[in-house]
Amino acid sequence: MPEGDAVYRTAARLRGALDGHTLTRSDFRVPRYATSDLTGRRVLTTLSRGKHLLTRVEGDLTVHTHLRMEGRWQVSAAGSRIPPGDQVRLILANERWQAVGIRLGMVDLVRTGDEARLVGHLGPDLLGADWDPDEAARRLRGAPDRTIGEALLDQRNLAGIGTIYRAETLFLRGIWPWKKVGEIEDLEGLVSLAQRLLDANKGHADTVTTGDRRPGNQTWVYGRAGRPCRRCGTRISRGEMGAQPQERLILWCAGCQPR
Ligand SMILES: [Zn+2]
């Protein structure tokens, strides 16, 4: 699942292809907006907000998309082949470029002034200009009995963390994922570390938290279930957190992150 850094890069690609250009094609392949047409309107810009994308279009309109589990935006030269079948949810194109939204988890078209209805619930964006670790920590403290593992994925607390950065951040701070939020002393330090990890990876497609970009060496615990911890040698544990059916993968080292 794409995390905040991947969505940030997607926004940059969409800006490069669409910003400032007039749309020559607009094709919403979702029933609710099947008759919507943005042709002839100029695209202003695309912003990322946590894992959400906001493409602002002339005339006070915003196209909101979310990649969810397996969505992606494919950018290519105008007229390139478009994937067949029902995977395509939205096409926005100008004379030079086309952006094809594939398997998008959400597609909405709203007034730009109403964007808050879609993203107003989000906590501080780890990669946003308004990132605020104190506010993120304040929101986390609002539910002190929650497990820190679940709280970090709740985008209302802070926006941008998925299962990879959750696992890596908790490992680096030596925190057991089921520890209660209220029992963690330095929440500001924890969220600041998560922010630095995302920021360090926002410019490239790999997720590197170890500082070593060689394949197989990039993470501490994520993708390493059953293998020895790089610090203490304990085998990395794998489990699931959260209530069904929303449970999500968690990896941790029982040696470095004791109960
Ligand atoms: Zn360990």
Side-chain angles (χ1 to χ4, degrees), residues 163-175 193 197 201 207-238 250-257:
T163 50
I164 301 176
Y165 288 103
R166 165 170 80 173
E168 296 295 298
T169 302
L170 291 175
F171 172 84
L172 284 165
R173 300 291 289 196
I175 296 171
L193 173 62
L197 293 177
N201 284 296
T207 299
V208 182
T209 57
T210 55
D212 185 339
R213 295 187 68 167
R214 288 175 296 172
N217 290 5
Q218 298 176 344
T219 58
W220 294 101
V221 291
Y222 198 85
R224 301 196 68 243
R227 296 172 63 192
C229 172
R230 299 186 194 282
R231 279 189 176 158
C232 74
T234 303
R235 290 195 184 281
I236 302 299
S237 302
R238 179 186 191 283
I250 181 72
L251 293 110
W252 75 102
C253 171
C256 296
Q257 299 162 266

Side-chain angles (χ1 to χ4, degrees), residues 2 40 45 51 100 107 113 115 125 132 154 171 175 192 202 227:
T45 194
K51 301 190 204 172
V100 180
V107 176
E115 283 177 1
D125 179 357
D132 180 348
D154 187 335
F171 172 84
I175 296 171
S192 294
K202 70 183 182 188
R227 296 172 63 192

Side-chain angles (χ1 to χ4, degrees), residues 143-182:
D145 290 333
R146 244 182 140 186
T147 67
I148 187 62
E150 287 176 83
L152 286 178
L153 281 200
D154 187 335
Q155 307 293 302
R156 293 172 297 185
N157 291 327
L158 67 176
I161 293 183
T163 50
I164 301 176
Y165 288 103
R166 165 170 80 173
E168 296 295 298
T169 302
L170 291 175
F171 172 84
L172 284 165
R173 300 291 289 196
I175 296 171
W176 184 53
W178 284 269
K179 191 167 181 173
K180 296 264 199 307
V181 169

